[in-house]
Amino acid sequence: MTSIATLGSHCALQVLKGAKDEGFNTILVCEKKREKLYRRFKFIDKLILVDTFLELSEQKCVSQLKDEDAVIIPHGTLISQMDSSQIESIKIPIFGNKWILRWESDRKMKEKLMIESNLNVPKTIPNPKDISSLVIAKRHGAAGGKGYFLTTSEKDYVKKRDKLIAQGIIKGDNDLYLQEYAFGVSAYLQYFYSPLTDELEFFGVDRRYESDIDGLGRIPAPQQIDIDLIPSFNVIGNIPIVLRESLLDEVYSMGERFVDAAKKLVTPGMNGPFCLEGVYDDNGKFTTFEFSARIVAGTNLYVDGSPYSTFLYNEPMSMGRRIAREIKKARKENQLTKITT
Ligand code: ATP
């Protein structure tokens, strides 16, 4: 009997509830400090308690997961807690394509895949000396927006960088990636691609609610100047969005181009959930500043289905449940190796 396992954070509740609804045994790899929280949820059959998530590579954890015939569902916490080589060396089947997670973590590889997908991406600024317009400085990997800042000149950049170094958030220039700031309203487009049916499903949209940047509008301009705050983009939660219906055609095209490019660049391709993240400008044109090659926390909004999953399924379908359904279908058709790596 296959089990579904994930790490205790990010979207674990949604993933394991969906797995249970599809009839799976559910396992949570849980830090001891969060045991009390996760014991509250009866759809979690088993907790594997660890001091840190790095124990996922250790024999004790691996053998427990193997005994349960587990498939691991990767999410943002896996990427932020383990480096690409550690993830690639995990000895348990990982849902989707674990090789593409390296492309998500490395800004240069990320840019290459987005350009190959023919997405409209903001310009990279190779050197702080080249800053001449509004630029966002971002950390590598899935930092969740923490320590990101806006800047318009090299001088201002150096001041803000040094403050982050003093706070121990970054070590130096190499930890920052500079990108042209894209104007507009943000939208995170959530997809699922099934290699079993070769079909792309558009699942939902959200925007992130980020501190401090989203709180700044409540402070009048003169006080903003007085407080000398470097606002960060640290994600606190997610807010649902529905798009103008006329935008949907391009949403599907972008997702399909991404799936095609991933097939070319990183075998076996973009299997399972992914997200294109960016902003719509005043002409409804989308600029993609980022992608996630796995389930995103914004799907937590739609545990009972989204305005878009409702058009595809006549039952409540969360992304977590969609993943479990894919595993169920693959297991029935003896194709588990096609959807895991
Ligand atoms: P994740 O946790 O999803 O992996 P991340 O840490 O890689 O995210 P991004 O999603 O790239 O970070 O950026 C965090 C936030 O910064 C975004 O939600 C958005 O508000 C803002 N942002 C990032 N890049 C740009 C850009 N080029 N133009 C405008 N805003 C941006």
Side-chain angles (χ1 to χ4, degrees):
M1 164 73 184
T2 314
S3 302
I4 290 187
T6 199
L7 303 185
S9 194
H10 195 269
C11 56
L13 292 173
Q14 185 210 151
V15 164
L16 296 188
K17 173 71 168 62
K20 184 48 71 186
D21 289 345
E22 289 296 302
F24 284 93
N25 194 31
T26 59
I27 304 172
L28 188 79
V29 179
C30 180
E31 288 171 311
K32 287 175 185 154
K33 63 181 182 194
R34 298 228 176 121
E35 179 182 0
K36 194 168 165 217
L37 168 71
Y38 284 107
R39 292 253 182 239
R40 293 173 193 271
F41 304 101
K42 303 296 174 248
F43 52 84
I44 303 176
D45 295 317
K46 179 174 179 172
L47 262 65
I48 298 179
L49 294 175
V50 293
D51 288 309
T52 82
F53 289 130
L54 292 176
E55 287 175 42
L56 198 57
S57 324
E58 289 176 12
Q59 191 48 39
K60 192 171 157 213
C61 198
V62 170
S63 56
Q64 287 188 76
L65 289 165
K66 275 204 169 141
D67 287 349
E68 302 279 354
D69 194 17
V71 172
I72 294 177
I73 313 302
H75 55 55
T77 304
L78 186 73
I79 291 168
S80 64
Q81 304 280 313
M82 291 180 126
D83 66 32
S84 301
S85 313
Q86 286 168 326
I87 295 172
E88 286 159 6
S89 66
I90 293 173
K91 300 276 183 302
I92 305 292
I94 294 189
F95 183 75
N97 179 0
K98 68 180 173 187
W99 309 106
I100 202 170
L101 300 176
R102 183 180 282 274
W103 291 66
E104 174 180 336
S105 299
D106 182 303
R107 294 272 178 206
K108 289 215 169 78
M109 291 169 92
K110 172 171 268 178
E111 202 184 320
K112 186 171 173 195
L113 185 47
M114 291 200 289
I115 290 170
E116 180 72 29
S117 310
N118 202 11
L119 295 170
N120 179 35
V121 293
K123 245 187 15 217
T124 299
I125 314 294
N127 193 305
K129 284 189 179 59
D130 304 324
I131 300 173
S132 60
S133 59
L134 186 59
V135 160
I136 180 163
K138 313 203 268 193
R139 290 163 62 205
H140 295 281
K146 195 171 174 60
Y148 295 16
F149 61 86
L150 299 180
T151 184
T152 47
S153 68
E154 187 188 4
K155 192 170 160 222
D156 178 65
Y157 164 84
V158 168
K159 194 176 110 198
K160 290 172 175 166
R161 177 202 62 193
D162 290 349
K163 200 163 171 182
L164 287 181
I165 294 174
Q167 290 169 351
I169 295 177
I170 59 164
K171 290 201 179 78
D173 283 329
N174 284 344
D175 293 331
L176 291 173
Y177 166 83
L178 300 175
Q179 196 177 56
E180 194 178 62
Y181 188 83
F183 290 91
V185 294
S186 60
Y188 285 64
L189 312 173
Q190 307 159 5
Y191 302 87
F192 186 94
Y193 172 71
S194 168
L196 302 178
T197 58
D198 188 25
E199 269 179 53
L200 177 72
E201 297 163 22
F202 177 53
F203 246 78
V205 202
D206 71 289
R207 58 162 290 212
R208 305 199 329 188
Y209 201 39
E210 297 168 331
S211 188
D212 331 280
I213 195 77
D214 286 321
L216 264 189
R218 292 168 58 92
I219 304 173
Q223 280 75 40
Q224 286 186 15
I225 290 163
D226 284 349
I227 54 182
D228 188 30
L229 172 79
I230 302 178
S232 187
F233 290 73
N234 195 14
V235 62
I236 299 298
N238 301 78
I239 301 174
I241 302 184
V242 281
L243 295 175
R244 288 175 69 154
E245 197 154 315
S246 56
L247 297 173
L248 280 187
D249 199 28
E250 179 58 13
V251 166
Y252 274 99
S253 302
M254 289 191 292
E256 279 164 359
R257 296 203 299 272
F258 189 76
V259 166
D260 288 346
K263 267 187 196 151
K264 258 195 242 158
L265 293 184
V266 47
T267 315
M270 185 61 265
N271 298 341
F274 67 98
C275 183
L276 298 181
E277 308 168 2
V279 295
Y280 279 102
D281 72 9
D282 52 348
N283 290 315
K285 187 171 176 214
F286 195 69
T287 298
T288 314
F289 53 67
E290 169 78 297
F291 69 79
S292 295
R294 36 80 196 172
I295 185 171
V296 289
T299 59
N300 289 340
L301 284 165
Y302 305 121
V303 278
D304 280 329
S306 79
Y308 298 100
S309 70
T310 303
F311 297 136
L312 304 174
Y313 294 92
N314 281 323
E315 60 193 314
M317 185 60 66
S318 69
M319 190 63 93
R321 187 168 185 180
R322 179 64 188 86
I323 292 170
R325 183 144 311 172
E326 186 83 346
I327 297 173
K328 201 156 124 181
K329 183 170 159 63
R331 193 179 55 182
K332 201 167 146 210
E333 296 171 0
N334 216 1
Q335 298 208 75
L336 267 180
T337 51
K338 201 166 176 182
I339 59 155
T340 56
T341 42

